[in-house]
Amino acid sequence: MPVTAAPQPVGDVDYAEEGRRLLEAVNLGQQGAPARYSPCDPVWRHPGTGATLYVGGANAASNRELLRSFQITRIVNCQDSDGRNYFEDDSELRYLKFSIGLWRQNRATVL
């Protein structure tokens, strides 16, 4: 029978570390990640303007040529405080910092 870790209280979760563990577990945390995984995927397109919402990770966010090829000019950085806005000095890009890990913490205080 497999051994599972006991659930952690909400405030004790290190989301950045959990994300790194997940990527490592599926072999995406390394340079030689399988080609079948896309660094950036469209998830919604506005029917009138054609503006497209993409979801990607740090590899996509740190690749300026990839951002240009997808015409990405706005980036929502959902990492915790250890996340980086790679091209903050680039006037073509705008960033919004949204620490997703704080959502759960703030949600618990609201409820």
Side-chain angles (χ1 to χ4, degrees), residues 20-106:
R20 283 188 284 276
R21 277 196 216 154
L22 176 63
L23 291 175
E24 187 176 306
V26 296
N27 203 23
L28 289 177
Q30 302 171 10
Q31 280 282 6
R36 70 178 186 252
Y37 296 105
S38 172
C40 185
D41 293 298
V43 294
W44 182 78
R45 181 164 289 136
H46 189 277
T49 67
T52 305
L53 175 65
Y54 292 93
V55 174
N59 288 340
S62 65
N63 182 331
R64 186 61 181 103
E65 289 310 309
L66 181 136
L67 296 173
R68 277 194 185 102
S69 71
F70 285 99
Q71 299 179 350
I72 294 171
T73 59
R74 306 297 187 263
I75 299 168
V76 180
N77 185 339
C78 295
Q79 295 180 331
D80 285 332
S81 60
D82 64 342
R84 192 173 151 211
N85 294 339
Y86 291 94
F87 305 104
E88 222 162 1
D89 294 332
D90 187 327
S91 63
E92 293 178 13
L93 299 175
R94 300 251 172 119
Y95 286 90
L96 171 67
K97 190 84 164 148
F98 180 76
S99 296
I100 197 74
L102 296 177
W103 170 83
R104 181 176 251 174
Q105 187 177 21
N106 289 337

